[in-house]
Amino acid sequence: YKSLIDTTYWVDYNTHTSGIFNDTYTKIAIDKNDVIWLGSVSNGLTRFDGTTWTKFTSENSGLADNRILEIKFGPKGYLWVCTRSGLNEYDGTNWVLYNKQTGLPSNMVNDIAFDPDGSPIVATLHGLAHYKNNRWIVIRFNLNSSGESRINYFTGVDVDNSGHWWATRRSNGIVMWNRKKWSTFFTFYNLETHDPIIFYKIVRHADNEIWFVHFIVPNKGAFVGLSSYSNGQFDKSTYTAFYGASINSIEIRNGNEKWISVSPTPASPGGLYRFVDYADMIRYGKENTSVVTNNFQDVAFDSKGDAWVVTFSNGIYHFKINN
């Protein structure tokens, strides 16, 4: 017998309390009908409509790969799934696969965003790609003689409120397209060795702000997990709560409220962080809520504004923010 524990603020869905298929997920997206989709490291997708749990894998559907890297809903309401074996578009019935054979520069697709005209832009292992006029336009920088370069390992992409593209490269800074020209930014750099000392992981936009998540690379002297860009300035030193933090996602609610999912490290307790202004930040974790873990992976918001929070090994939580 399984029963949900309603903690007023936090409701847990795990293999002991619900029909969820496993307790380890890393990605979440919610559609306009409040249907929840979960992505896992190796077990494909899970769909929850409030009553029924449904599992999609490469064995029982058109899903390209059970290793999910990102999931988002596009402007048409279709689900886009980034995997290690290509990009899927799912309209609720049909699965479309995009991969190297259809024009992508790599089958490893790390992130997806959408241009103001609704067309998808993806960050891949070997460059950016933009789907326009029924074909992929590939964008790469400073290719070497073999046609590849580590600086085209793109980890994240987003489009801000002005329609500008922002993309992060794992080991070579940030690129931005203002719809006229490309700009490149190196916010952390060793001037003596000409070596980047930060590896970029994620980019997300808020109102008049761009936020960047970094891999922590102690042997390169890189400890800061979060930085931002606003009013023409990069800020890479203010966010001391995220020094040494392993950040898994940053999502934006109501235009400018940042929600940051963090795993514990020796330097950081992990948890779920929420702020509009950094000085007024709130942290949620097992120390001050009914959750049983501080290993948070991702968060998404339903039509009521409630948060649905993914943990690494303890299922998911419905956080009734307004209670």
Side-chain angles (χ1 to χ4, degrees):
Y1 177 76
K2 296 178 178 179
S3 61
L4 288 174
I5 302 168
D6 189 341
T7 58
T8 306
Y9 286 97
W10 299 83
V11 182
D12 62 332
Y13 294 82
N14 58 54
T15 52
H16 300 291
T17 65
S18 72
I20 200 169
F21 295 105
N22 61 79
D23 288 330
T24 300
Y25 293 97
T26 55
K27 298 296 177 183
I28 184 168
I30 302 177
D31 73 14
K32 63 181 185 299
N33 297 316
D34 287 340
V35 175
I36 292 163
W37 289 80
L38 303 167
S40 65
V41 172
S42 60
N43 292 306
L45 294 169
T46 294
R47 178 185 186 272
F48 180 52
D49 63 7
T51 304
T52 304
W53 299 88
T54 308
K55 190 173 185 178
F56 295 87
T57 66
S58 58
E59 291 78 27
N60 72 3
S61 72
L63 185 65
D65 194 313
N66 292 329
R67 299 168 295 177
I68 310 300
L69 299 177
E70 185 60 88
I71 52 176
K72 288 184 185 176
F73 284 96
K76 293 181 180 179
Y78 297 169
L79 180 69
W80 292 80
V81 186
C82 303
T83 81
R84 290 180 176 271
S85 299
L87 173 72
N88 277 122
E89 179 186 15
Y90 180 58
D91 65 4
T93 304
N94 303 300
W95 296 86
V96 178
L97 172 63
Y98 302 98
N99 55 22
K100 285 186 73 173
Q101 289 181 304
T102 65
L104 285 179
S106 169
N107 285 337
M108 185 170 171
V109 181
N110 293 310
D111 199 8
I112 185 169
F114 300 92
D115 197 58
D117 67 8
S119 55
I121 310 148
V122 292
T124 84
L125 183 65
H126 295 307
L128 294 174
H130 179 206
Y131 196 67
K132 195 80 171 171
N133 299 322
N134 297 314
R135 69 184 185 95
W136 289 101
I137 300 166
V138 176
I139 303 151
R140 292 190 282 194
F141 299 82
N142 300 90
L143 298 182
N144 62 20
S145 58
S146 65
E148 297 295 351
S149 170
R150 67 178 184 140
I151 68 172
N152 286 300
Y153 183 167
F154 281 89
T155 53
V157 62
D158 204 6
V159 180
D160 69 21
N161 294 340
S162 300
H164 300 166
W165 298 5
W166 293 81
T168 48
R169 294 179 289 185
R170 180 180 171 90
S171 59
N172 217 262
I174 302 156
V175 298
M176 188 270 281
W177 185 52
N178 68 1
R179 313 199 74 83
K180 293 182 179 178
K181 67 173 184 176
W182 289 94
S183 300
T184 305
F185 304 100
F186 299 94
T187 53
F188 298 82
Y189 205 68
N190 185 324
L191 294 177
E192 292 182 3
T193 63
H194 302 290
D195 191 32
I197 60 169
I198 205 82
F199 288 174
Y200 286 93
K201 187 175 180 179
I202 302 169
V203 56
R204 290 290 179 265
H205 81 281
D207 288 347
N208 304 310
E209 300 171 343
I210 312 297
W211 292 86
F212 306 97
V213 173
H214 324 121
F215 292 97
I216 303 303
V217 194
N219 66 335
K220 286 184 174 289
F223 292 98
V224 59
L226 187 71
S227 63
S228 67
Y229 176 87
S230 182
N231 298 317
Q233 297 292 322
F234 285 93
D235 185 342
K236 56 186 182 181
S237 60
T238 296
Y239 313 110
T240 55
F242 301 101
Y243 280 14
S246 177
I247 300 175
N248 297 308
S249 75
I250 176 168
E251 300 301 334
I252 312 299
R253 178 175 177 258
N254 297 332
N256 207 23
E257 186 178 72
K258 281 72 67 176
W259 288 70
I260 301 174
S261 302
V262 183
S263 293
T265 67
S268 167
L272 181 66
Y273 296 77
R274 169 189 180 186
F275 64 93
V276 175
D277 297 313
Y278 177 73
D280 300 321
M281 184 170 64
I282 301 169
R283 175 186 173 271
Y284 303 103
K286 61 184 182 181
E287 298 83 3
N288 63 355
T289 74
S290 60
V291 304
V292 298
T293 180
N294 285 332
N295 195 338
F296 290 88
Q297 295 288 310
D298 200 7
V299 61
F301 306 96
D302 64 22
S303 63
K304 294 183 291 186
D306 288 357
W308 291 78
V309 185
V310 175
T311 75
F312 187 69
S313 59
N314 297 95
I316 68 172
Y317 287 88
H318 175 195
F319 178 21
K320 300 177 184 178
I321 299 169
N322 298 319
N323 270 14

